[in-house]
């Protein structure tokens, strides 16, 4: 017995999507000056803390639905390339984990 | 034979320190508005990306020398309390790993 065509069509149009959180961490490339981090480091030292170095980074947590983890990582990488990171001065990495 | 006192004193003043990197992630508390994240989410949607939510966070990587990982975490937590996070609007977490 064949499945009714309508059922197959519906199934094809709404595949099972999984909820993921992709974390994109955007850092300044090595050698790019970071005056904000330098100021924060000096402020900590003025408070009496000792530290060798301080680096700051931006972290974006993106909740999205995707077919699988690879699909989620690919879309997050595209978002980083298009908007979240500036390739001239930034490096970034992407981590994906399932939500809930 | 006893150790010369000078040696013991020197030893006590410079115990073996290990190099750690403490990562402090500072997030807005749930319920605190984040217009910058909202703007970034809308900009991504305008580019054609679909996403359920976007949260932004600041990440500080602190290089410091400490007796052990607990000591490093304690100092990073104190830095977060004193300067890196604003307890009224921020939550933070601290992760420590040995450097090199």
């Amino acid at each position: 017995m064949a499945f009714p065509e309508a059922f197959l069509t519906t199934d094809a149009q709404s595949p099972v999507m999984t909820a993921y959180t992709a974390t994109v961490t955007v850092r300044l490339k090595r050698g790019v000056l970071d005056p904000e981090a330098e100021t924060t480091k000096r402020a900590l030292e003025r408070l009496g803390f000792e530290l060798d170095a301080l680096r700051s980074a931006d972290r974006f947590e993106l909740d999205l639905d995707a077919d699988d983890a690879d699909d989620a990582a690919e879309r997050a990488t595209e978002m980083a390339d298009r908007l979240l990171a500036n390739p001239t001065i930034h490096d970034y990495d992407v981590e994906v984990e399932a939500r809930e």
Side-chain angles (χ1 to χ4, degrees), chain A residues 60-72:
Chain A
F60 298 95
E61 295 170 6
L62 312 166
D63 291 345
L64 41 83
D65 297 320
D67 293 338
D68 53 39
D70 285 347
D71 178 35

Side-chain angles (χ1 to χ4, degrees), chain A residues 15-64:
Chain A
V16 179
M17 302 281 267
T18 312
Y20 292 95
T21 296
T23 301
V24 179
T25 305
V26 179
R27 288 181 183 75
L28 285 170
K29 282 186 178 170
R30 194 175 292 273
V32 178
L33 293 178
D34 188 349
E36 193 182 324
E38 194 50 42
T39 303
T40 306
K41 177 171 182 277
R42 282 212 213 102
L44 286 169
E45 286 167 344
R46 226 173 291 126
L47 288 171
F49 294 107
E50 280 176 32
L51 63 169
D52 297 334
L54 183 152
R55 292 174 299 283
S56 66
D58 287 322
R59 189 184 148 108
F60 298 95
E61 295 170 6
L62 312 166
D63 291 345
L64 41 83

